[in-house]
Amino acid sequence: MNRFVVVSAAVFLLISLAYLPLLNQLYWSTLTSLIPPVRVVADLVVTNGTIFTSDKSLPFADSMAIRNGRILKVGSFTTLKDFVGDGTMEVNLEGKVVVPGLIDSHVHLISGGLQMAQVGLRGVSQKEEFCKMVKDAVQNAKEGLWILGGGWNNDFWGGELPSASWIDEISPHNPVWLIRMDGHMALANSLTLKIAGVTSFTEDPVGGTIMRLPSGEPTGLLIDAAMELVTSFVKEVSVDERREALVRASKYALTRGVTTVVDVGRYYPGTTDELSWKDFEDVYLWADSTNKMMIRTCLFFPITTWSRLSDLKLQKGHVLSEWLYLGGVKAFIDGSLGSNSALFYEEYIDTPNNHGLEVMDPEILSNLTMAADKSGLQVAIHAIGDKANDMILDMYESVAAANGERDRRFRIEHAQHLAPGSSARFGRHHIVASVQPDHLLDDADTAPKKLGFDRADKESYLFQSLLNGNALVAFGSDWPVADINPLHSIRTAVKRIPPKWDHAWIPSECISFTDALTAYTISAARAAFLDDHLGSLSPGKLADFVILSTNSWDEFSKDGSASVLATYVGGKQVHP
């Protein structure tokens, strides 16, 4: 009898253990059914619009729900109405078009903000107007103060290069330093040259040129690395001025629908590589810690400081906050077309025997790129001329072969003039083409004069060829070199009609409207490793979007004629 009881108890215990998970599941499912589900309520729901998501899984929608600065869901209102509850703000778009927050892939943000408060020479089309603006600035400044400014383009007044003689008489007691719109040439008055010790005996530095009269006397123009002869004497702007510049620039970007930028910093040939780090420490970290950031910013630093950035990324990671991201490193191989310092295989027509400049020793650049890439950093290199682009393409291929396969997303900034066959190499080797459409408006008249019509038409701004080769193409402005205005740049990429022209420049390179808009959204995000957070209106991503003035997607996609009505960052309206 006792043995039977023991065996029965043992059997019961084994059966109980076997059924315990089922009983546990039954218990919790019963308990859960008694507890009402937690309802997710959106902070904001936008409805009744045409929402371009830049997400291939759902290209268009009419409504979007947002909570805690991120997107809950995108779709039709019937699929989103359950998210509407107490405290939900509803915005009726009344048919307006919405696009993701636009990403400018190449800006000098603080430089642009500073230039907004300096002598602005963008668009000046006459020598007299140029001189008058300098004169006005001198008259409003105390004796001895530096007169700083930029944005001038000599092609706008017929091509004649300015010289110190233009402004010496009106600025005898104020040093003047005016940077060309491309950042690769600057004009100094004679007082500035005297302060810097630049004379007829001063030799051209490696990677730079001092423009001279036939007598050997400097004209006042310094190109690329030669600018460093002066920049070390220019009084560095204060921390407060740079912080004000960031705020000023950010507000301006928001008016254009730009919610994220890739800031390649104040580092140009002829400047110190410390400027980007000073801005990071004095301006960006300050803005981030005091809630002063208004647009999301991905920072690139001079390649010469790669180990410093590598250490910082190992310590902090890629994402410092929802506002601030550590990108990669930036370098230059050549100058610019307008300054005749972009590097080409053939000589410039207007300056015989000149093929452009190597502004950095190629072997040093290759070694730095190898080291930066090996540490896991993204590398972006400025290349404009056809030879310069081939040099960087070759170098990238060599570095990738040596360091092994990984998702590195090498970038070439500008990729402006490409030799036959070079455009296909970008897609083949997964190299990002970070290009600026509005630059072609300035170069359409200039390039044939410098390169000849045949070269200019075969190799300039090959956007469609790059896309045909499956390259990742990201759009930007290079602000303040060109205006920060993505909607205008999109029209430029689609139409390619320069001012005073009635037809497209190289029509075969016109791209579709969707490709152009994609280059300012999800492609721009991928080009900077931001696509997990930004670039499309997809569930889980940051809720940055722009409401446009148009009610018709068909009309918008046909001619791109629309303006920014409102800009939202993190689900909050920040403009107007």
Side-chain angles (χ1 to χ4, degrees):
M1 180 67 180
N2 289 339
R3 183 182 296 175
F4 175 77
V5 170
V6 171
V7 171
S8 298
V11 170
F12 178 78
L13 180 61
L14 289 171
I15 293 172
S16 299
L17 289 171
Y19 279 91
L20 186 59
L22 183 61
L23 292 170
N24 187 51
Q25 184 180 350
L26 181 63
Y27 168 77
W28 283 109
S29 62
T30 303
L31 184 63
T32 303
S33 66
L34 297 175
I35 301 173
V38 177
R39 185 183 174 201
V40 177
V41 176
D43 300 322
L44 172 68
V45 171
V46 294
T47 64
N48 188 28
T50 301
I51 301 174
F52 173 79
T53 66
S54 209
D55 183 336
K56 289 182 179 179
S57 67
L58 182 68
F60 290 94
D62 63 48
S63 301
M64 178 168 58
I66 294 160
R67 179 178 172 82
N68 293 332
R70 292 185 178 267
I71 297 167
L72 279 175
K73 191 172 183 179
V74 182
S76 64
F77 181 67
T78 55
T79 66
L80 301 178
K81 60 184 179 181
D82 288 344
F83 292 118
V84 178
D86 293 339
T88 300
M89 178 184 292
E90 294 187 60
V91 174
N92 184 345
L93 296 170
E94 299 179 346
K96 294 289 188 292
V97 170
V98 168
V99 297
L102 299 167
I103 301 170
D104 193 312
S105 294
H106 187 117
V107 302
H108 308 270
L109 194 64
I110 293 176
S111 294
L114 288 169
Q115 199 171 107
M116 290 174 74
Q118 296 173 350
V119 182
L121 298 168
R122 182 193 305 279
V124 170
S125 58
Q126 293 180 333
K127 172 184 175 180
E128 293 74 20
E129 184 183 2
F130 180 101
C131 295
K132 183 180 184 303
M133 293 186 74
V134 175
K135 183 178 181 180
D136 290 346
V138 170
Q139 289 177 341
N140 291 319
K142 292 181 181 179
E143 188 174 305
L145 286 180
W146 282 81
I147 305 301
L148 304 175
W152 58 270
N153 185 350
N154 51 298
D155 294 318
F156 286 0
W157 58 72
E160 180 187 0
L161 288 168
S163 66
S165 62
W166 285 21
I167 55 176
D168 278 344
E169 189 175 329
I170 58 178
S171 58
H173 306 298
N174 295 83
V176 178
W177 183 239
L178 305 170
I179 300 173
R180 193 179 187 274
M181 47 85 74
D182 55 18
H184 292 268
M185 178 189 283
L187 174 67
N189 66 350
S190 292
L191 179 57
T192 297
L193 295 177
K194 183 178 179 181
I195 291 170
V198 178
T199 70
S200 58
F201 300 104
T202 307
E203 294 184 0
D204 288 353
V206 176
T209 303
I210 301 169
M211 298 288 284
R212 304 174 191 270
L213 298 169
S215 64
E217 287 295 320
T219 67
L221 286 172
L222 305 176
I223 299 175
D224 287 312
M227 293 192 294
E228 192 170 0
L229 298 171
V230 166
T231 54
S232 58
F233 291 90
V234 178
K235 182 179 179 291
E236 169 64 348
V237 287
S238 69
V239 172
D240 285 342
E241 286 175 307
R242 287 181 282 137
R243 290 175 177 177
E244 290 167 5
L246 174 64
V247 172
R248 190 184 301 122
S250 299
K251 287 180 178 178
Y252 183 56
L254 290 170
T255 68
R256 298 301 175 86
V258 174
T259 58
T260 300
V261 297
V262 175
D263 185 6
V264 294
R266 291 192 292 147
Y267 174 59
Y268 295 93
T271 61
T272 170
D273 56 17
E274 277 299 307
L275 292 179
S276 297
W277 286 99
K278 286 181 179 179
D279 289 341
F280 170 63
E281 293 161 359
D282 296 340
V283 181
Y284 281 114
L285 290 182
W286 162 82
D288 197 30
S289 64
T290 57
N291 299 315
K292 295 289 196 304
M293 291 291 291
M294 289 182 275
I295 59 175
R296 309 189 198 281
T297 305
C298 179
L299 299 170
F300 274 66
F301 296 84
I303 197 168
T304 49
T305 65
W306 70 267
S307 60
R308 190 170 171 183
L309 179 60
S310 179
D311 291 344
L312 182 63
K313 290 188 80 167
L314 285 173
Q315 180 187 356
K316 300 289 187 180
H318 168 57
V319 182
L320 297 183
S321 71
E322 289 186 347
W323 296 100
L324 208 52
Y325 303 82
L326 295 176
V329 290
K330 163 90 185 298
F332 294 81
I333 187 59
D334 68 343
S336 71
L337 180 71
S339 299
N340 283 31
S341 56
L343 188 62
F344 288 92
Y345 287 110
E346 297 181 38
E347 65 184 13
Y348 285 85
I349 291 175
D350 58 344
T351 52
N353 301 317
N354 174 29
H355 292 255
L357 292 173
E358 291 177 358
V359 300
M360 190 172 198
D361 181 272
E363 186 177 353
I364 293 174
L365 179 57
S366 180
N367 291 337
L368 288 168
T369 301
M370 186 76 74
D373 177 71
K374 198 167 187 177
S375 75
L377 294 175
Q378 187 180 19
V379 179
I381 299 179
H382 164 119
I384 287 184
D386 54 12
K387 184 176 181 181
N389 275 279
D390 279 351
M391 288 171 68
I392 302 307
L393 288 166
D394 291 344
M395 188 184 72
Y396 279 163
E397 289 176 34
S398 297
V399 170
N403 287 344
E405 190 171 337
R406 72 175 180 89
D407 182 12
R408 46 179 42 94
R409 304 184 205 181
F410 277 145
R411 295 167 59 121
I412 291 184
E413 304 300 312
H414 309 304
Q416 201 162 289
H417 303 279
L418 302 176
S422 294
S423 60
R425 298 174 66 188
F426 283 77
R428 191 183 309 139
H429 298 286
H430 311 292
I431 295 168
V432 175
S434 171
V435 299
Q436 299 75 41
D438 278 345
H439 285 350
L440 74 84
L441 300 177
D442 295 326
D443 287 347
D445 292 316
T446 304
K449 296 175 185 175
K450 294 181 178 296
L451 309 178
F453 284 96
D454 187 55
R455 283 166 64 196
D457 286 353
K458 283 182 179 178
E459 60 177 40
S460 302
Y461 299 92
L462 305 183
F463 302 154
Q464 188 59 55
S465 294
L466 287 163
L467 290 170
N468 289 344
N470 296 315
L472 179 60
V473 175
F475 279 176
S477 65
D478 202 9
W479 188 67
V481 175
D483 195 14
I484 186 168
N485 191 346
L487 295 179
H488 187 272
S489 293
I490 288 168
R491 289 195 294 274
T492 298
V494 172
K495 295 180 177 294
R496 295 178 68 105
I497 301 177
K500 300 180 182 179
W501 286 41
D502 60 4
H503 60 280
W505 183 36
I506 322 177
S508 60
E509 295 298 332
C510 294
I511 68 173
S512 75
F513 179 82
T514 301
D515 283 340
L517 184 52
T518 298
Y520 261 117
T521 52
I522 190 61
S523 290
R526 286 194 186 110
F529 288 93
L530 298 175
D531 44 315
D532 287 342
H533 314 279
L534 303 161
S536 63
L537 298 176
S538 309
K541 289 192 178 183
L542 293 162
D544 302 347
F545 61 95
V546 183
I547 302 174
L548 301 177
S549 59
T550 180
N551 287 64
S552 170
W553 175 263
D554 289 339
E555 289 183 12
F556 179 45
S557 60
K558 182 178 179 181
D559 59 17
S561 58
S563 58
V564 174
L565 277 189
T567 306
Y568 284 72
V569 177
K572 295 180 180 179
Q573 184 174 336
V574 290
H575 169 75

